[in-house]
Amino acid sequence: MGEVRVQAEAFDAGAELNRFSQTQDGAGAVVSFTGVVRDVAGGLEAMEIEHYPGMTEKAIAGIVEEAQGRWPLTGALVIHRHGRLEPGAQIMMVATASAHRVAAFEAAEFLMDYLKSRAPFWKKELTREGAGWVAAVEADEDALKRW
Amino acid sequence: MGEVRVQAEAFDAGAELNRFSQTQDGAGAVVSFTGVVRDVAGGLEAMEIEHYPGMTEKAIAGIVEEAQGRWPLTGALVIHRHGRLEPGAQIMMVATASAHRVAAFEAAEFLMDYLKSRAPFWKKELTREGAGWVAAVEADEDALKRW
Amino acid sequence: MTVDVLYFAWVRERIGVPKETVQTEAATVAGLVEELRAREPRYAAAFEDVSALRVALDQELSDFDAPLEGVREVAFFPPMTGG
Amino acid sequence: MTVDVLYFAWVRERIGVPKETVQTEAATVAGLVEELRAREPRYAAAFEDVSALRVALDQELSDFDAPLEGVREVAFFPPMTGG
């Protein structure tokens, strides 16, 4: 019911959404989220995403299982890339499906909030001026209190 | 920035999501919602969706404009079908994009809540036993109070 | 004055036509509803409980107290069920 | 006892290796951190402020008070920034 993929390769969000939707019997609502590399300050050459092989898959599977316990989902999908990504590239996506829209929306937001702060990924920004690790944002940690 | 389509024809949610995402400069977050015809009680042969040509497009455009005023969106897309739809068919989709995930999620939920109760569509269920109009649900009207 | 009156969903089914042109002296939507109700039983049936109905004037949601002056198109329908 | 110690992100960069095997007598994660800090300045730099760090034991998030007994893999890293 839950599918987790951690990969260096690009993915096709639209194709993944269609494939996911087609397997969700009884779902009336499908929600997707796609995260994209943004060049916030200007001058970003690439984002490098490091992760903890082995733990990453387990941590995400645990978050997906938690979501499935909280909401009556027909399924959930998480794809997260690692390695070097250029501005505009898709970093990750989440899809959730449920009989009703509120459950699908809430579960997708829950997955995103937990992936931000509880899945072992670290982002490094490579700019013309040098490289720097992206600091965790307090608002992302605070977002977990909602659930 | 806002695109609204009211149509009888089926649409390809994945292809629409990809096309939409590719035009969202500066977006770090893209959220989509797809609504699917569910055979809740069993025996549903088709759903017939009636609408108010002319008003429908204007009402949805007004809802999209309201969302764009409330959240800093790079864009929003609404597709809504009318006519005869079989169980499993996609009725409608919404996509929103923004720099940040919270804005994209909230705007998508706002659009869905308003489309449910403020866009002039009416659903009729055709079953083996006969046909009946789907009644508006109080919870859907209540959902608007959140915004 | 003359207005186009549109009906949707079960209101349309009860009245039996999707659209008609109506000659009215009513000052408000509520007045127009009274005139229609008095016509025939199928109108009385459709407008039996206006709290179950919604109205749009020239394709904008409105209410039953609204004045009719200058309005070209009036639509009656049950609460919407989109999405 | 012997544990594999993994470092990620800037912790890895400060210490200079992604992984090493460490011989330790420490009873807790905090004890292990003390031993590492005492080794060399690069460790002292990486572990300067443990409130800025997170720890996983055998690939499960844990905390610095946790006992090390039976643990095979300890990982130190900054707060995660996924999504």
Side-chain angles (χ1 to χ4, degrees):
Chain A
M1 309 258 290
E3 183 184 342
V4 174
R5 273 156 47 201
V6 180
Q7 61 187 48
E9 306 76 49
F11 58 89
D12 180 330
E16 296 291 346
L17 175 62
N18 281 349
R19 191 185 52 79
F20 174 76
S21 297
Q22 278 152 21
T23 59
Q24 303 305 311
D25 277 352
V30 180
V31 169
S32 80
F33 178 94
T34 316
V36 179
V37 177
R38 277 197 317 141
D39 183 4
V40 180
L44 183 72
E45 286 175 352
M47 181 86 88
E48 239 172 43
I49 301 183
E50 183 170 334
H51 80 120
Y52 184 169
M55 177 171 169
T56 313
E57 293 79 358
K58 273 193 267 184
I60 299 176
I63 295 167
V64 168
E65 204 179 311
E66 175 76 21
Q68 288 177 317
R70 289 177 182 230
W71 291 278
L73 304 179
T74 58
L77 166 70
V78 176
I79 302 173
H80 203 303
R81 294 178 67 191
H82 56 84
R84 185 187 168 93
L85 302 175
E86 322 239 304
Q90 296 180 330
I91 307 176
M92 51 85 64
M93 81 175 280
V94 154
T96 55
S98 181
H100 298 290
R101 75 186 187 285
V102 174
F105 269 122
E106 287 187 354
E109 289 173 81
F110 172 90
L111 288 173
M112 284 308 305
D113 284 349
Y114 271 81
L115 286 169
K116 280 265 166 201
S117 308
R118 292 290 182 271
F121 292 100
W122 300 274
K123 293 193 183 106
K124 191 176 197 173
E125 289 180 335
L126 311 178
T127 70
R128 272 163 242 145
E129 281 75 44
W133 292 97
V134 174
V137 181
E138 207 170 321
D140 286 338
E141 187 65 33
D142 289 348
L144 301 186
K145 292 176 188 149
R146 178 178 164 198
W147 307 108
Chain B
M1 309 256 289
E3 183 185 342
V4 174
R5 274 155 48 201
V6 180
Q7 62 187 46
E9 304 77 48
F11 59 89
D12 179 330
E16 297 290 346
L17 175 63
N18 281 348
R19 192 185 52 78
F20 174 76
S21 296
Q22 277 151 22
T23 59
Q24 304 304 312
D25 277 352
V30 180
V31 169
S32 80
F33 177 94
T34 315
V36 179
V37 177
R38 277 197 318 140
D39 183 3
V40 179
L44 182 73
E45 285 175 351
M47 180 88 87
E48 239 171 43
I49 301 181
E50 183 170 335
H51 80 121
Y52 184 169
M55 178 170 168
T56 313
E57 293 79 0
K58 272 192 268 184
I60 299 177
I63 294 166
V64 169
E65 204 178 312
E66 176 76 21
Q68 288 177 317
R70 289 178 183 230
W71 291 277
L73 304 179
T74 58
L77 166 70
V78 176
I79 302 173
H80 204 304
R81 294 178 67 189
H82 57 83
R84 184 187 169 92
L85 302 175
E86 322 240 305
Q90 295 180 329
I91 307 176
M92 51 85 66
M93 81 174 279
V94 154
T96 55
S98 181
H100 298 290
R101 75 185 188 284
V102 174
F105 269 122
E106 287 188 353
E109 289 174 81
F110 172 91
L111 287 173
M112 284 308 305
D113 284 348
Y114 271 82
L115 287 169
K116 281 265 166 200
S117 308
R118 292 290 182 272
F121 291 100
W122 300 274
K123 294 195 182 105
K124 190 177 196 172
E125 288 179 336
L126 311 178
T127 69
R128 272 163 242 147
E129 281 74 46
W133 291 97
V134 174
V137 180
E138 208 170 320
D140 285 337
E141 186 66 31
D142 288 347
L144 302 186
K145 292 176 189 150
R146 179 178 161 197
W147 307 109
Chain C
M1 65 182 280
T2 288
V3 289
D4 287 334
V5 184
L6 282 69
Y7 310 109
F8 291 97
W10 56 255
V11 182
R12 172 179 56 69
E13 289 180 337
R14 284 193 196 173
I15 292 176
V17 294
K19 185 176 174 176
E20 59 189 333
T21 301
V22 169
Q23 185 73 32
T24 178
E25 301 306 316
T28 64
V29 174
L32 173 63
V33 168
E34 282 316 305
E35 290 180 359
L36 292 169
R37 251 192 204 136
R39 284 183 162 194
E40 285 178 50
R42 58 192 169 104
Y43 289 94
F47 291 107
E48 192 183 359
D49 174 15
V50 290
S51 76
L53 295 182
R54 301 289 179 268
V55 63
L57 301 182
D58 290 330
Q59 307 190 349
E60 295 270 355
L61 276 179
S62 186
D63 53 66
F64 288 83
D65 296 332
L68 271 190
E69 199 184 338
V71 171
R72 286 157 304 163
E73 185 171 302
V74 180
F76 295 105
F77 41 78
M80 294 158 272
T81 53
Chain D
M1 66 182 279
T2 287
V3 289
D4 287 335
V5 184
L6 282 68
Y7 309 108
F8 292 97
W10 58 255
V11 182
R12 173 180 54 71
E13 290 179 336
R14 284 193 197 173
I15 291 176
V17 294
K19 184 176 175 175
E20 58 191 332
T21 301
V22 168
Q23 185 72 34
T24 178
E25 302 306 318
T28 64
V29 174
L32 173 62
V33 168
E34 282 315 306
E35 291 180 357
L36 291 168
R37 251 193 203 133
R39 284 185 164 195
E40 283 178 51
R42 60 194 169 101
Y43 289 95
F47 290 107
E48 191 182 359
D49 175 14
V50 290
S51 77
L53 295 182
R54 302 289 179 267
V55 62
L57 301 182
D58 290 330
Q59 308 191 349
E60 294 271 356
L61 277 178
S62 186
D63 54 66
F64 288 82
D65 296 334
L68 271 190
E69 200 184 338
V71 170
R72 287 157 304 163
E73 186 172 300
V74 180
F76 294 104
F77 41 78
M80 295 157 273
T81 53

